[in-house]
Amino acid sequence: PNEQVIGTGAATGTYLNNSPADSNTTNGGNNNKTSGDYSIIGGGLDNETCLNVSFVGGGQENLANGVYATIAGGYRNITSPYSFIGSGQDNTSSADYTVIGGGTLNTASAFGSVIGGGFTNKVFGCYSFIGGGHINCITDAYSTIGGGTSNWAYSPSATIAGGTENYAGAACSTIGGGRCNRVGFQNINGTCMLYATIAGGEENNISANGVNMTIGGGRKNCITTSAHGCNTIGGGGYNLINFCGGSNTIGGGYCSNIYNSCKTFIGGGAQNNVYQTQYSSISAGYANQICSAYCSHIGGGYNNQINGGGSSNCKGNFIGGGLTNCIYQSCRGIIAGGESNKICRGNGNGILGGNSNTITDKFNTFIIGSNITATTSNTTFTNCLCIAGTAIASGDMTANDCCICR
């Protein structure tokens, strides 16, 4: 090799650099080595270029290990052909056309991958990007982690913006941030989910088949097991959409559940449940339930229930609110409110309020009052009736206590 005296130190004498190939330049520093033509080391200590047209600007023990490789500075960085490391320490670019801006112990091991900085970040997927953060990892192509800590993008075109311990394991999935959120694996039938999104929150989980599933935030909300398409949990905590078809929504609240249903809705509240139905909804309240009843609605209240009981004709029912009201195996039944009112079988029946009223096996029957049991169909029952005006009856009118005011 041709040893060349390139510069002198301020107090310690000469520094030797080694440039055995033609057209190389070593501008300063100590014990730097250029191999291959048209390579440059600007300065520093123990730096090396191994192939043609490579560059090390400075720093210590940096290795530009390929053609057109560049290391601007830092300590013990290693770059591959057509790749760039800006600075930092112990960064490794081991695939072509990769970029590491800086940081420490970062590894870009896939073609065209980029790490902006941070600590112990790793990219094993082609054309993928980690902006920064700590212990983030990408293992498939076209994926992105913006930052944060211990995030893992495991499927193609997955994105994690930030947060900690988030896992994006479905194609084209997105996690905005938060902690321990998970978009899960390929299911046992081999059908992958697509376009799943968790915006934030903590310990939320999407692990079902289908497309366009979303959890907005909250804690420990879950969409799981054979849920097909367009299912959404807006927020809240411990809400579950499970074994469902598509287009189900839980807006928020606590510990509500949609199971084996399609096109249903729970707005909020706590411990509200929709089972085995379609086109039904619960707006809010506590411990309300719709089971096997189609096109039915509970507005709110406590422990209200619409139950088809296995009947395919249970549909179009409504409970406005109150507590412990029940519509069972009925069609087009209405309980506006009150307490402990019950409609059991029949069509077109209604209870407007009060308490402890019952309509069983009747049709087009109404109750206004309390503690009334309907005995005939096509009849309106009330405790007391006061008519301000003219009463005209086309059928029978039976009154134990009636007042007509003129």
Side-chain angles (χ1 to χ4, degrees), residues 102-317:
T104 303
L105 292 170
N106 297 306
T107 302
S109 299
F111 187 92
S113 59
V114 176
I115 298 175
F119 176 68
T120 322
N121 297 304
K122 299 181 185 299
V123 177
F124 301 102
C126 296
Y127 306 108
S128 293
F129 171 84
I130 295 177
H134 177 220
I135 319 180
N136 298 305
C137 182
I138 295 174
T139 59
D140 215 324
Y142 310 107
S143 295
T144 300
I145 297 176
T149 301
S150 301
N151 298 305
W152 188 10
Y154 187 73
S155 289
S157 302
T159 300
I160 300 174
T164 180
E165 297 181 61
N166 297 305
Y167 176 93
C172 305
S173 59
T174 301
I175 297 176
R179 175 181 174 274
C180 295
N181 296 304
R182 185 182 188 91
V183 177
F185 297 102
Q186 188 172 348
N187 87 317
I188 58 174
N189 296 321
T191 303
C192 291
M193 69 175 71
L194 291 170
Y195 317 122
T197 300
I198 297 176
E202 180 180 14
E203 296 183 60
N204 298 302
N205 181 19
I206 299 175
S207 57
N209 303 338
V211 298
N212 300 326
M213 289 173 288
T214 302
I215 295 176
R219 184 169 189 266
K220 290 192 174 181
N221 298 302
C222 186
I223 301 173
T224 185
T225 314
S226 300
H228 298 282
C230 302
N231 292 296
T232 301
I233 297 176
Y238 298 88
N239 297 304
L240 173 65
I241 296 176
N242 190 22
F243 282 105
C244 285
S247 304
N248 298 290
T249 300
I250 298 176
Y254 175 77
C255 207
S256 293
N257 183 17
I258 296 176
Y259 176 83
N260 195 20
S261 297
C262 181
K263 300 177 179 65
T264 63
F265 173 82
I266 296 175
Q271 296 185 29
N272 296 307
N273 297 295
V274 175
Y275 299 134
Q276 297 175 334
T277 187
Q278 296 182 41
Y279 310 108
S280 293
S281 60
I282 299 173
S283 293
Y286 179 74
N288 298 303
Q289 179 176 294
I290 298 175
C291 181
S292 302
Y294 299 95
C295 304
S296 296
H297 177 74
I298 296 175
Y302 168 72
N303 198 31
N304 298 303
Q305 183 178 134
I306 300 174
N307 193 329
S311 171
S312 61
N313 196 39
C314 186
K315 56 188 176 182
N317 296 293

Side-chain angles (χ1 to χ4, degrees), residues 21-95:
D22 295 334
S23 303
N24 289 337
T25 302
T26 305
N27 290 325
N30 183 24
N31 203 32
N32 298 306
K33 180 180 178 181
T34 58
S35 300
D37 296 334
Y38 308 107
S39 295
I40 298 173
I41 297 177
L45 174 66
D46 296 322
N47 297 305
E48 183 176 356
T49 63
C50 289
L51 292 172
N52 298 339
V53 200
S54 55
F55 172 84
V56 176
Q60 181 178 353
E61 296 183 34
N62 296 304
L63 173 61
N65 190 25
V67 295
Y68 300 101
T70 299
I71 299 175
Y75 177 59
R76 285 195 313 215
N77 298 304
I78 301 173
T79 190
S80 54
Y82 308 99
S83 296
F84 171 85
I85 295 177
S87 63
Q89 177 179 338
D90 294 311
N91 297 304
T92 301
S93 163
S94 58

